[in-house]
C-alpha cells in the first residue's frame, strides 16, 4: 500500500495534541469476560494505542468522520475508508487501520522531533 | 447428613456470644443462598434497616458440595446480607468468592457462619475446628492492615512457629492435624473506613466484590474470619463420586490433544488458563514469565494464575481490566494488587475511573476545579496516580492522609458521588447521557442491558449486576468469530435448540432465545429471565457450582454438542448427598428462593415503579458490538443487535408479563399469597400482609 | 520449600541410585534387621537391598500444579470414603502470595528404596507388600498407632499419618500412600497398586502427577519432582522449563 504523504505543520500539531472533550471519539474496549466497555479516546495517540488492543471496536464510519472532521486528515480518512471496503474481517480491517494510523503518528513525531 | 457438617455457627458481636444453629432447621433450602435468605428472613425482623445497622445479619454459607470432588463445584462461598453499595436502596444482596474458605469451614465442622451485631472494638474470629473465639484485633495490630499483611499475621499466629508445610495441630495436641494454613476472609482499609465499595478478600485475590460487604463488616468492627479445620465431609457414594468426576472430565472437559474450539473463558471445557485482562502493549494479555494456573479447591480447570514475579497473583477478570491506561504492564499488574490489598471493588474502581477522567477532560474535575478533586491527571498512567486513587477510595481522604470532601464522596460510590456533585440533574445528567456508565441500581455496567436481555433484565429485576455468564458465552463465541474469522461453536439454530431443550420447565419454547428487537419485551424473554434467575439461585448460588464453568450447555466434546447440564448437576449433587434430587427439583427450589428474595426486597421498599434502568439505557442507542441469536424470516441466525435502546413504555409491559409469569401482582410487583403459599412460604405472605405489601392474587 | 530432613544414606556412604536391585529371599532380609538400625549395605556392582524395591512411584511436577488439591480430595475419598485434606496421603502446600514456583509444593510418599518408616515400626506393621508390587503398606491389624513411622519419615511433612480409625473402634492407626493398592473405595475394576490406577494420577486436571515404574534417584528431590510439561502445555502460555 502507498505510504502516506508527509504531514504539514498544522496536521502534525492536531495529530499530536489532545482534542476537546466534545471532540473525543468513543470506542468499545472488548476484553473477554469483562464486557464491551465504552472507552473515550482523547487524542490520535490514544486511538492508535486502542487499535492495538486485543479486540478493539471502533465504528469505522465514526472513525472516518473523526479523522476527516476533527483531525482534518482527509488523506488518512480516505485510506481508512478504502481499508474498510477491502477488508475481509473486522479484525483485518482494524489491524490495517491501526498500521496506517501508526504510520501517520510516527511521521508526526519525527516531524516534531526534527524541528526540535 | 452427607455433605453437611450439621451446624451453622452464629456469632453475636454485640454480646460477644457464640452459639449454633442446627443445619437441619434450614436443610430444605439445601445451602448457600437459599439458606442465607431463609436465615436472614428469620433473624432480621425489620427489613428496612440500613446495611450499616448492627441488626443487619451477614451470612457466609457453604453447600453440601463444597470441599468435594465435584468439578468446579467445591470452592465457592456465598455471602449475603443488606448491602450498602446499590442505589438508591442498599438491597438485600449477595456476593460469592472462590478459593478454599468453604472447604476449610466445613472441615472445621461448620456449614456456615451467621454474623450479627456490632463489636465494641475491632475483632477477628478465630475458628479452629470446634473451638471458636472472638479475638481483639489489638494484640496482633490487625486493624489498619492491608489484606495480605492481615492474613500473613493470622497465619503466623494460628500456626505458631512450626515450619511451613509441616503438620500442625490447630486446636491442641488432642485435635486433628493439617498441613494447610488457615483460610482467612478479611477486609482491608476500604472496609475499615466504611467505603461502600469495599469488598471481602480471601488469599491473594478471591473477592466477595459486590454489595459493599467490606464496609458492612467494617461497621460491625469485624476485621477477619480465620478458619482451619481437620475434619471429614461425609459423602454418600465415594466410588460413585469418583467415577462421576472422572467421567465428566473425560467426556466434557478440555483435552489438549484434541482442541475443539477457540479458547472461551466461561465454559466447562475451558482450558486451565488465567482469565487476566491486563493489556497495555499490543497483544500482551498474559505476562511472559514463569507461571502456573491456579484453581479453587476441586476445580478441573483453574482460571487464575501465580507468577514468577509474584505480582498480581491470583488476580482475575475485572481486577485485571482496571487501569488499562497504565504506562506499563507491570504497573497495571501492581494496580490489581492494590485493589486486592486495600479491598476495593474492581468494577467500581475501573468504571468509576473512566468517569472521573471524562470529567477531568471536560474541565470540571480536578484540583481547584468546580469539583475540587485532589487527584491530578497529569501523571495518569503512572503507579503514583493509581496508588493515590485507590487510597482515596479506601481511606476516603486525598490519598495522602489529608481530608478531602470529594474523596470522601468517592467512598459513597460513584453514583452517590455524582449526585452530590450535581451531575445527575437535568437533561444532560450523566445517567441520562451515559457518561456515567452505571445502568442498574447504581452499579457499574458489566454486560449491556440494551442487548444482553437476560443480563440487563435479570439485574434490574434483582438487586445487582447479576454477573452470571450462562448465556453470555454465546456473545463471546460469536463476537470472537466476527473478529477472527471462523465459525462459532454451534450454529444459531443448534444453540437455540440445545439451550432451550435444557431450560426446563420452559423447555421447547425456542423464542426464549430470540434476542431480536421484535421479541425483546415478550413473554418468551420473560421466561428466559425467570429460568435464569431460578437456575442461578439454586444450582449456582445455593449448590454453589461455579459460574465460570456451569451450566454446560453447548459442549464441542459432547455427542451432537449437547453439554451435560440437566444431568450432571443432579448426578453430582446426589452422589454427595444421597438424595434423589432432579434437575427440576433444583429449578423449583430456585424459584422458591427467588420468591423469598423478592419478598425481602418488597419489605425493603421495592415497588415496580422504581424498577428502572438509568435513563441512558432508554435514551441512548448502544453503540458497541453485539451478535445474539434471533429468528429472521423463520431462520435462526446470529444477528447484529447493536444500535438499539430499551423502549421505556414497552419495558413497563415487559415487567407486567414477568410479574404475571412469576405469579406476582403486576400492579406492584409484590409477591401474592397464592404464589407464596404454593411455594410453602405462607409465613412470608403473612409478613408481607402485616406490612401492607402483599400482592393481589 | 526444601525438605528439612534428607534421605539417609546407607552406612557405607554409598549412593542408592537408580539401579536394578537383587531381591533377597525373605529369610535373608529378615535376618539383616536389627531393631531399628538400618541394615548394613555393601557397595558392590549390584547393591543389595534389605527389602524389595517398590514396583511403582509417584512423580510430580510442582511447577505445573494448579493447586486445586483435587489429588488430596481424591486420595481421602478412595481411601477413607470421606473428603478430608488432612487424611490425604499426598499433600499440596501453598502460599498464595509467594512467587512461582516457590508458591507451591507437592509432597508425595517416595516409596523409599530404604524406607525409614518400615525400619522404625516396632510392630512390623509397615511392610513392602509383595501382593501389591512391594508398595510400602501399613498392616492395620498389626499397627498400634505408636507414631514411630511418622517420626522416622525423613521428609516434611511426614508421609505417614496416624489418626483415629472408626473401622478399628477409633483406635489410632497409621496410614500412608499405598498407590491405591488397598483403597477400599477404589472406583475402577482394575483396582490400584502398581498394576492398577492411582486416584491422584487419574484426577489431576493438569497431569502434574505421573506414575512411574522405574526407581527414582533417591537422594534429593530431582528424582521425584520432575518436569511433566510439553509443547501442548506451553501452548497455553506456560513455561516448559
Amino acid at each position: 500500500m502507498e505510504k502516506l504523504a508527509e504531514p504539514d505543520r498544522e496536521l502534525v500539531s492536531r495529530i499530536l495534541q489532545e482534542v476537546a472533550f466534545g471532540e473525543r471519539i468513543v470506542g468499545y474496549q472488548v476484553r473477554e469476560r469483562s464486557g464491551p466497555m465504552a472507552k473515550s479516546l482523547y487524542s490520535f495517540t490514544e486511538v492508535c494505542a486502542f487499535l492495538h488492543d486485543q479486540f478493539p471496536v471502533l465504528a469505522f464510519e465514526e472513525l472516518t468522520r473523526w479523522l476527516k472532521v476533527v483531525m482534518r486528515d482527509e488523506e488518512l480518512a480516505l485510506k481508512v475508508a478504502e481499508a474498510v471496503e477491502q477488508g475481509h474481517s473486522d479484525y483485518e480491517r482494524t489491524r490495517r487501520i491501526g498500521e496506517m494510523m501508526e504510520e501517520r503518528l510516527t511521521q508526526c513525531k519525527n516531524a516534531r522531533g526534527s524541528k526540535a | 447428613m452427607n455433605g453437611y457438617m450439621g451446624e451453622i455457627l452464629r456469632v453475636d458481636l454485640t454480646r460477644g456470644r457464640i452459639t449454633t444453629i442446627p443445619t437441619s432447621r434450614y436443610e430444605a433450602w439445601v445451602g448457600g443462598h437459599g439458606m442465607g435468605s431463609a436465615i436472614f428472613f428469620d433473624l432480621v425482623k425489620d427489613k428496612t434497616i440500613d446495611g450499616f445497622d448492627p441488626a443487619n445479619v451477614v451470612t457466609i454459607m457453604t453447600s453440601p458440595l463444597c470441599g468435594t470432588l465435584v468439578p468446579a463445584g467445591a470452592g465457592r462461598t456465598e455471602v449475603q446480607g443488606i448491602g450498602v453499595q446499590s442505589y438508591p436502596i442498599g438491597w438485600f444482596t449477595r456476593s460469592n468468592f472462590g478459593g478454599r474458605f468453604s472447604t476449610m469451614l466445613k472441615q472445621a465442622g461448620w456449614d456456615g457462619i451467621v454474623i450479627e451485631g456490632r463489636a465494641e472494638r475491632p475483632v477477628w474470629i478465630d475458628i479452629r475446628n470446634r473451638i471458636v473465639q472472638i479475638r481483639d484485633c489489638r494484640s496482633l495490630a490487625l486493624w489498619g492492615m492491608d489484606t495480605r499483611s492481615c492474613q500473613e499475621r493470622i497465619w503466623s499466629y494460628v500456626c505458631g512457629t512450626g515450619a511451613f508445610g509441616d503438620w500442625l495441630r490447630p486446636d491442641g495436641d488432642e485435635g486433628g492435624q493439617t498441613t494447610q494454613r488457615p483460610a482467612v476472609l478479611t477486609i482491608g482499609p476500604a472496609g475499615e473506613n466504611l467505603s461502600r465499595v469495599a469488598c471481602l478478600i480471601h488469599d491473594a485475590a478471591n473477592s466477595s466484590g459486590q454489595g459493599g460487604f467490606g464496609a458492612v463488616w467494617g461497621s460491625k468492627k469485624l476485621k477477619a474470619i480465620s478458619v482451619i479445620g481437620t475434619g471429614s465431609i461425609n459423602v454418600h457414594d465415594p466410588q460413585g463420586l469418583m467415577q462421576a468426576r472422572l467421567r465428566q472430565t473425560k467426556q466434557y472437559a478440555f483435552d489438549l490433544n484434541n482442541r475443539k474450539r477457540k479458547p472461551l473463558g466461561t465454559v466447562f471445557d475451558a482450558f486451565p488458563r488465567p482469565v487476566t485482562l491486563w493489556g497495555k502493549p499490543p497483544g500482551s494479555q498474559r505476562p511472559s514469565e514463569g507461571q502456573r494456573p491456579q484453581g479453587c479447591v476441586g476445580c478441573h480447570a483453574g482460571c487464575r494464575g501465580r507468577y514468577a514475579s509474584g505480582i498480581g497473583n491470583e488476580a482475575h477478570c475485572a481486577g485485571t481490566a482496571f487501569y488499562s491506561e497504565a504506562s506499563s504492564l507491570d504497573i497495571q499488574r501492581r494496580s490489581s494488587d492494590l485493589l486486592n490489598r486495600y479491598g476495593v471493588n474492581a468494577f467500581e474502581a475501573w468504571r468509576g475511573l473512566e468517569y472521573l477522567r471524562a470529567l477531568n477532560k471536560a474541565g470540571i474535575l480536578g484540583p481547584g476545579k468546580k469539583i475540587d478533586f485532589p487527584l491530578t491527571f497529569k501523571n495518569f498512567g503512572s503507579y503514583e496516580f493509581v496508588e493515590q486513587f485507590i487510597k482515596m477510595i479506601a481511606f476516603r481522604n486525598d490519598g495522602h492522609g489529608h481530608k478531602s470532601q470529594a474523596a470522601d464522596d468517592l467512598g459513597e460510590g460513584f453514583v452517590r458521588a455524582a449526585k452530590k456533585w450535581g451531575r445527575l440533574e437535568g437533561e444532560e445528567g450523566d445517567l441520562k447521557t451515559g457518561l456515567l456508565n452505571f445502568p442498574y441500581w447504581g452499579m457499574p455496567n458489566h454486560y449491556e442491558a440494551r442487548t444482553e436481555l437476560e443480563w440487563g433484565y435479570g439485574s434490574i429485576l434483582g438487586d445487582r449486576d447479576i454477573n452470571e455468564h450462562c448465556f453470555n458465552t454465546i456473545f463471546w463465541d460469536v463476537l470472537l468469530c466476527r473478529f477472527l474469522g471462523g465459525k462459532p461453536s454451534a450454529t444459531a439454530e443448534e444453540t437455540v435448540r440445545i439451550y432451550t431443550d435444557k431450560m426446563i420447565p420452559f423447555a421447547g419454547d425456542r423464542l426464549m432465545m430470540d434476542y431480536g428487537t421484535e421479541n425483546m419485551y415478550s413473554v418468551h424473554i420473560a421466561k428466559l429471565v425467570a429460568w435464569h434467575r431460578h437456575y442461578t439461585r439454586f444450582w449456582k448460588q445455593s449448590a454453589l457450582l461455579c459460574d465460570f464453568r456451569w451450566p454446560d450447555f453447548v459442549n464441542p466434546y459432547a455427542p451432537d454438542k449437547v453439554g451435560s447440564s440437566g444431568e450432571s448437576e443432579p448426578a453430582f449433587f446426589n452422589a454427595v448427598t444421597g438424595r434423589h434430587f432432579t434437575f427440576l427439583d433444583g429449578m423449583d427450589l430456585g424459584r422458591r428462593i427467588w420468591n423469598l428474595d423478592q419478598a425481602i426486597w418488597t419489605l425493603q421498599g421495592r415497588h415496580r415503579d422504581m424498577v428502572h434502568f438509568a435513563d441512558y439505557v432508554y435514551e441512548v442507542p448502544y453503540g458497541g458490538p453485539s451478535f445474539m441469536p434471533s429468528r429472521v424470516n423463520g431462520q435462526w441466525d446470529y444477528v447484529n443487535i447493536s444500535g438499539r435502546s430499551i423502549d421505556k413504555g414497552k419495558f413497563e409491559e415487559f415487567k407486567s408479563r414477568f410479574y404475571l409469569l412469576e405469579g406476582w401482582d403486576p400492579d406492584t410487583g409484590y409477591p401474592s399469597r397464592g404464589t407464596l403459599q404454593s411455594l410453602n412460604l405462607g409465613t412470608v405472605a403473612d409478613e408481607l400482609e402485616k406490612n401492607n405489601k402483599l400482592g393481589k392474587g | 520449600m526444601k525438605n528439612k530432613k534428607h534421605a539417609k544414606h546407607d552406612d557405607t556412604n554409598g549412593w542408592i541410585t537408580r539401579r536394578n536391585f537383587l531381591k533377597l529371599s525373605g529369610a535373608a532380609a529378615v535376618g539383616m534387621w536389627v531393631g531399628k538400625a538400618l541394615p548394613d549395605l555393601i557397595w558392590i556392582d549390584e547393591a543389595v537391598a534389605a527389602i524389595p524395591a517398590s514396583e511403582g512411584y509417584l512423580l510430580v511436577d510442582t511447577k505445573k500444579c494448579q493447586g486445586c488439591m483435587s489429588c488430596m480430595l481424591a486420595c481421602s475419598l478412595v481411601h477413607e470414603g470421606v473428603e478430608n485434606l488432612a487424611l490425604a496421603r499426598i499433600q499440596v502446600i501453598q502460599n498464595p502470595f509467594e512467587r512461582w514456583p516457590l508458591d507451591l509444593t507437592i509432597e508425595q510418599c517416595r516409596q523409599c528404596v530404604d524406607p525409614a518408616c518400615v525400619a522404625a515400626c516396632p510392630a512390623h506393621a509397615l511392610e513392602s507388600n509383595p501382593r501389591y508390587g512391594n508398595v510400602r503398606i501399613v498392616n492395620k491389624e498389626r499397627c498400634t498407632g505408636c507414631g514411630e513411622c511418622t517420626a522416622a519419615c525423613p521428609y516434611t511433612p511426614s508421609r505417614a499419618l496416624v489418626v483415629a480409625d472408626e473401622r478399628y473402634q477409633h483406635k489410632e492407626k497409621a496410614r500412608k500412600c499405598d498407590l491405591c493398592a488397598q483403597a477400599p473405595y477404589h472406583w475402577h475394576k482394575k483396582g490400584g497398586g502398581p498394576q492398577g490406577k492411582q486416584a491422584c494420577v487419574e484426577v489431576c486436571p493438569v497431569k502434574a502427577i505421573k506414575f512411574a515404574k522405574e526407581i527414582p534417584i533417591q537422594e534429593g528431590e530431582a528424582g521425584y519432582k520432575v518436569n511433566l510439561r510439553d509443547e501442548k502445555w506451553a501452548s497455553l502460555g506456560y513455561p516448559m522449563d
Side-chain angles (χ1 to χ4, degrees):
Chain A
M1 208 174 219
E2 270 175 50
K3 283 193 139 345
L4 295 165
E6 284 299 316
D8 62 28
R9 199 166 53 187
E10 284 81 15
L11 182 57
V12 167
S13 185
R14 285 195 301 276
I15 294 287
L16 293 181
Q17 70 187 14
E18 274 196 9
V19 301
F21 179 70
E23 290 179 329
R24 73 195 188 284
I25 183 170
V26 178
Y28 278 81
Q29 186 178 53
V30 176
R31 295 207 181 145
E32 201 192 338
R33 300 278 72 79
S34 72
M37 296 297 180
K39 184 126 187 73
S40 290
L41 305 163
Y42 299 96
S43 69
F44 190 95
T45 307
E46 284 193 7
V47 176
C48 281
F50 176 77
L51 290 174
H52 283 93
D53 205 355
Q54 198 184 24
F55 303 117
V57 173
L58 195 48
F60 297 124
E61 306 75 32
E62 176 58 18
L63 176 60
T64 310
R65 182 204 70 80
W66 189 78
L67 289 171
K68 207 168 170 179
V69 172
V70 178
M71 288 292 115
R72 283 180 270 143
D73 188 342
E74 293 267 358
E75 183 198 10
L76 184 56
L78 200 60
K79 289 235 176 335
V80 164
E82 280 171 13
V84 170
E85 205 180 301
Q86 291 162 10
H88 296 105
S89 70
D90 288 348
Y91 183 79
E92 188 194 322
R93 294 180 182 104
T94 306
R95 287 288 168 256
R96 182 69 199 110
I97 293 168
E99 282 165 11
M100 288 192 289
M101 291 188 66
E102 199 63 48
E103 184 193 336
R104 177 65 93 211
L105 184 62
T106 305
Q107 283 178 328
C108 293
K109 282 179 176 172
N110 288 344
R112 180 64 63 84
S114 65
K115 276 199 65 177
Chain B
M1 283 175 91
N2 290 308
Y4 295 98
M5 307 315 290
E7 287 194 301
I8 297 164
L9 185 61
R10 181 175 178 179
V11 180
D12 181 341
L13 293 172
T14 304
R15 295 180 182 80
R17 197 166 67 189
I18 295 163
T19 53
T20 63
I21 302 170
T23 306
S24 55
R25 190 180 296 168
Y26 292 97
E27 199 182 345
W29 299 95
V30 172
H33 191 102
M35 276 192 183
S37 293
I39 291 170
F40 176 89
F41 193 87
D42 288 346
L43 297 188
V44 179
K45 300 304 175 195
D46 178 5
K47 273 74 168 173
T48 66
I49 58 171
D50 183 79
F52 290 124
D53 192 307
N56 185 15
V57 163
V58 175
T59 59
I60 301 152
M61 301 304 295
T62 74
S63 90
L65 309 186
C66 295
T68 73
L69 263 186
V70 177
R76 311 290 303 173
T77 312
E78 179 86 354
V79 179
Q80 291 166 266
I82 296 175
V84 295
Q85 184 185 8
S86 62
Y87 174 86
I89 290 179
W91 294 120
F92 171 67
T93 191
R94 55 165 298 275
S95 184
N96 81 27
F97 64 98
R100 57 196 181 92
F101 189 89
S102 56
T103 296
M104 200 56 88
L105 185 60
K106 283 177 70 174
Q107 289 198 198
W110 309 102
D111 291 312
I113 308 173
V114 175
I115 307 284
E116 51 195 329
R118 173 185 291 162
E120 238 181 81
R121 53 172 63 91
V123 297
W124 63 286
I125 301 173
D126 182 356
I127 304 170
R128 307 183 200 196
N129 285 325
R130 303 290 295 181
I131 300 174
V132 182
Q133 291 183 277
I134 303 171
R135 295 192 187 277
D136 192 315
C137 280
R138 283 180 295 184
S139 58
L140 297 182
L142 295 180
W143 196 261
M145 277 189 173
D146 69 38
T147 60
R148 172 176 175 171
S149 305
C150 176
Q151 292 182 83
E152 289 176 332
R153 181 73 58 89
I154 289 176
W155 291 346
S156 296
Y157 176 76
V158 172
C159 300
T161 51
F164 187 82
D166 205 349
W167 294 106
L168 61 107
R169 293 183 187 275
D171 53 348
D173 287 341
E174 300 307 310
Q177 63 176 14
T178 180
T179 62
Q180 304 298 300
R181 286 299 173 267
V184 182
L185 184 63
T186 179
I187 63 174
E192 293 173 3
N193 291 295
L194 307 185
S195 177
R196 286 181 185 267
V197 297
C199 41
L200 308 175
I201 299 288
H202 160 56
D203 278 348
N206 290 290
S207 95
S208 172
Q210 289 196 43
F213 285 110
V216 174
W217 278 33
S219 74
K220 293 182 176 303
K221 296 202 172 18
L222 174 61
K223 175 67 177 177
I225 300 177
S226 164
V227 59
I228 187 165
T230 61
S232 300
I233 303 166
N234 291 329
V235 169
H236 165 68
D237 182 1
Q239 278 165 309
L241 177 58
M242 184 71 179
Q243 285 164 345
R245 165 67 182 240
L246 294 177
R247 190 167 50 238
Q248 179 78 17
T249 51
K250 185 170 179 202
Q251 292 178 2
Y252 297 102
F254 72 93
D255 180 352
L256 288 184
N257 295 314
N258 180 20
R259 294 192 202 204
K260 290 279 194 174
R261 58 171 158 188
K262 290 184 189 44
L264 290 172
T266 53
V267 289
F268 193 86
D269 56 290
F271 298 124
R273 289 187 322 168
V275 176
T276 52
L277 308 179
W278 294 313
K280 171 68 185 178
S284 65
Q285 294 277 310
R286 293 254 299 281
S288 56
E289 58 183 79
Q291 57 191 269
R292 71 169 80 255
Q294 191 269 326
C296 297
V297 169
C299 186
H300 64 286
C303 64
R304 296 162 185 269
R306 293 204 201 111
Y307 307 94
S309 62
I311 299 173
N313 272 3
E314 301 182 356
H316 180 253
C317 207
T320 60
F322 172 64
Y323 206 43
S324 62
E325 303 88 353
S327 57
S328 73
L329 183 58
D330 176 70
I331 291 174
Q332 195 185 10
R333 292 171 66 194
R334 291 197 292 152
S335 65
S336 301
D337 279 339
L338 284 172
L339 287 171
N340 290 316
R341 304 277 156 84
Y342 286 96
V344 173
N345 178 247
F347 247 105
E348 186 96 15
W350 174 29
R351 304 317 299 154
L353 182 56
E354 177 79 14
Y355 175 60
L356 293 180
R357 188 171 182 232
L359 294 181
N360 175 261
K361 292 292 186 191
I364 298 165
L365 176 141
K369 300 284 183 189
K370 186 177 171 199
I371 303 170
D372 187 8
F373 202 74
L375 197 56
T376 171
F377 278 74
K378 288 197 174 70
N379 60 349
F380 187 64
S382 70
Y383 184 75
E384 290 69 33
F385 176 92
V386 73
E387 188 183 28
Q388 185 181 357
F389 172 63
I390 290 171
K391 280 180 164 176
M392 284 172 70
I393 298 176
F395 293 103
R396 305 186 67 147
N397 60 29
D398 72 344
H400 298 304
H402 309 119
K403 277 194 183 161
S404 160
Q405 183 57 56
D408 188 48
D409 296 339
L410 280 196
E412 291 293 297
F414 283 84
V415 170
R416 288 184 178 83
K419 184 173 164 75
K420 183 129 183 278
W421 300 337
R423 296 295 308 171
L424 302 188
E425 293 155 16
E427 285 308 305
E428 294 298 312
D430 293 338
L431 285 176
K432 276 196 184 295
T433 61
L435 190 68
L436 183 57
N437 193 216
F438 284 47
Y440 15 73
W441 299 122
M443 312 283 270
N445 183 48
H446 190 166
Y447 281 94
E448 182 50 54
R450 293 164 282 190
T451 51
E452 268 195 73
L453 303 174
E454 90 288 347
W455 197 290
Y457 289 157
S459 295
I460 204 63
L461 289 161
D463 52 306
R464 48 160 276 174
D465 159 20
I466 58 170
N467 199 19
E468 286 141 5
H469 296 81
C470 314
F471 297 89
N472 177 251
T473 301
I474 304 170
F475 168 86
W476 283 108
D477 198 1
V478 177
L479 190 68
L480 293 181
C481 290
R482 291 285 306 197
F483 262 105
L484 302 173
K487 292 185 183 161
S489 305
T491 65
E493 189 277 331
E494 284 174 327
T495 294
V496 169
R497 177 173 42 80
I498 292 170
Y499 273 68
T500 55
D501 278 351
K502 290 184 182 294
M503 288 164 69
I504 61 172
F506 303 127
D509 182 353
R510 306 294 188 217
L511 291 179
M512 288 191 285
M513 294 291 292
D514 184 343
Y515 283 72
T517 305
E518 292 290 310
N519 193 52
M520 67 190 272
Y521 308 102
S522 71
V523 69
H524 310 285
I525 296 298
K527 285 185 195 172
L528 166 70
V529 176
W531 187 91
H532 197 207
R533 298 298 85 231
H534 304 165
Y535 176 84
T536 53
R537 270 305 185 264
F538 179 69
W539 288 109
K540 290 169 90 155
Q541 297 160 17
S542 298
L544 290 176
L545 296 174
C546 178
D547 174 63
F548 258 44
R549 299 283 173 262
W550 294 96
D552 180 29
F553 276 126
V554 169
N555 190 309
Y557 290 100
D560 298 324
K561 305 178 195 172
V562 177
S564 60
S565 262
E567 288 170 21
S568 288
E569 293 101 331
F572 280 116
F573 185 82
N574 296 331
V576 172
T577 62
R579 292 177 68 164
H580 301 284
F581 218 67
T582 65
F583 185 73
L584 181 59
D585 288 334
M587 295 302 298
D588 286 343
L589 185 47
R591 180 171 165 244
R592 188 175 186 229
I593 298 166
W594 175 243
N595 270 264
L596 177 56
D597 284 352
Q598 176 70 359
I600 294 171
W601 297 326
T602 301
L603 289 165
Q604 282 192 285
R606 181 172 299 199
H607 184 283
R608 69 168 285 161
D609 290 347
M610 68 191 311
V611 176
H612 269 297
F613 295 106
D615 283 337
Y616 79 86
V617 171
Y618 305 117
E619 294 171 18
V620 179
Y622 169 61
S626 190
F627 298 87
M628 290 297 276
S630 184
R631 205 170 61 164
V632 179
N633 299 324
Q635 299 291 324
W636 286 99
D637 201 357
Y638 294 115
V639 171
N640 185 354
I641 50 174
S642 185
R644 73 186 189 197
S645 56
I646 290 184
D647 181 302
K648 199 168 188 180
K650 289 184 179 168
F651 178 57
E652 288 291 351
E653 293 167 19
F654 173 78
K655 274 195 284 187
S656 299
R657 292 186 187 107
F658 182 81
Y659 292 145
L660 283 167
L661 179 68
E662 290 285 14
W664 302 342
D665 183 346
D667 291 339
T668 55
Y670 298 166
S672 65
R673 180 172 285 283
T675 297
L676 291 171
Q677 275 182 187
S678 74
L679 295 167
N680 205 12
L681 292 174
T683 50
V684 174
D686 295 340
E687 185 158 338
L688 286 169
E689 189 166 39
K690 211 165 59 175
N691 288 276
N692 292 318
K693 302 263 181 167
L694 189 61
K696 294 192 289 289
Chain C
M1 220 171 314
K2 299 221 180 286
N3 287 315
K4 287 169 68 177
K5 298 175 249 187
H6 301 285
K8 289 178 186 163
H9 290 286
D10 61 276
D11 285 345
T12 65
N13 288 322
W15 289 77
I16 301 175
T17 61
R18 188 187 303 223
R19 300 183 67 104
N20 290 320
F21 288 85
L22 288 180
K23 291 173 193 175
L24 294 180
S25 67
V30 166
M32 290 182 75
W33 285 108
V34 180
K36 295 177 199 175
L38 285 173
D40 282 339
L41 291 173
I42 300 160
W43 180 251
I44 53 175
D45 277 348
E46 287 169 339
V48 173
I51 63 169
S54 172
E55 290 173 16
Y57 302 86
L58 292 179
L59 311 181
V60 298
D61 185 342
T62 58
K63 288 183 175 178
K64 195 183 191 192
C65 175
Q66 67 166 16
C68 63
M69 299 190 280
S70 298
C71 51
M72 296 167 72
L73 295 176
C75 180
S76 78
L77 190 65
V78 303
H79 285 93
E80 312 286 343
V82 296
E83 298 282 27
N84 190 340
L85 300 175
L87 295 179
R89 283 80 157 141
I90 181 169
Q91 291 285 320
V92 177
I93 299 148
Q94 311 178 63
N95 181 345
F97 300 112
E98 182 57 88
R99 298 171 191 227
W100 174 93
L102 301 179
D103 62 306
L104 181 150
T105 183
I106 310 173
E107 301 295 334
Q108 78 279 34
C109 175
R110 293 161 63 116
Q111 303 296 340
C112 298
V113 165
D114 181 14
C117 56
V118 171
C121 179
H124 304 296
L126 254 167
E127 56 190 3
S128 77
N129 191 320
R131 190 174 157 210
Y132 298 110
N134 300 315
V135 174
R136 283 80 169 100
I137 290 180
V138 174
N139 181 323
K140 285 202 190 162
E141 295 298 326
R142 283 195 224 134
C143 176
T144 63
C146 69
E148 291 293 330
C149 51
T150 64
C153 179
Y155 302 105
T156 301
S158 66
R159 301 320 199 232
L161 26 142
V162 176
V163 292
D165 197 325
E166 64 177 26
R167 283 163 288 186
Y168 292 87
Q169 296 85 45
H170 295 279
K171 288 187 191 146
E172 298 230 314
K173 297 284 180 185
R175 58 259 279 134
K176 65 172 290 298
C177 175
D178 61 353
L179 297 179
C180 290
Q182 291 184 322
Y185 300 97
H186 204 286
W187 72 98
H188 198 277
K189 59 180 188 289
K190 223 176 161 184
Q195 306 306 318
K197 293 183 180 287
Q198 295 73 42
C200 56
V201 173
E202 297 299 310
V203 89
C204 179
V206 298
K207 311 250 182 300
I209 307 173
K210 179 182 163 182
F211 173 82
K213 287 189 183 302
E214 274 199 329
I215 303 168
I217 296 169
Q218 294 291 293
E219 178 69 15
E221 299 195 326
Y224 287 90
K225 291 183 180 169
V226 301
N227 187 339
L228 299 175
R229 285 155 281 142
D230 59 12
E231 290 84 7
K232 293 203 171 85
W233 184 251
S235 73
L236 295 181
Y238 299 113
M240 271 176 69
D241 55 14

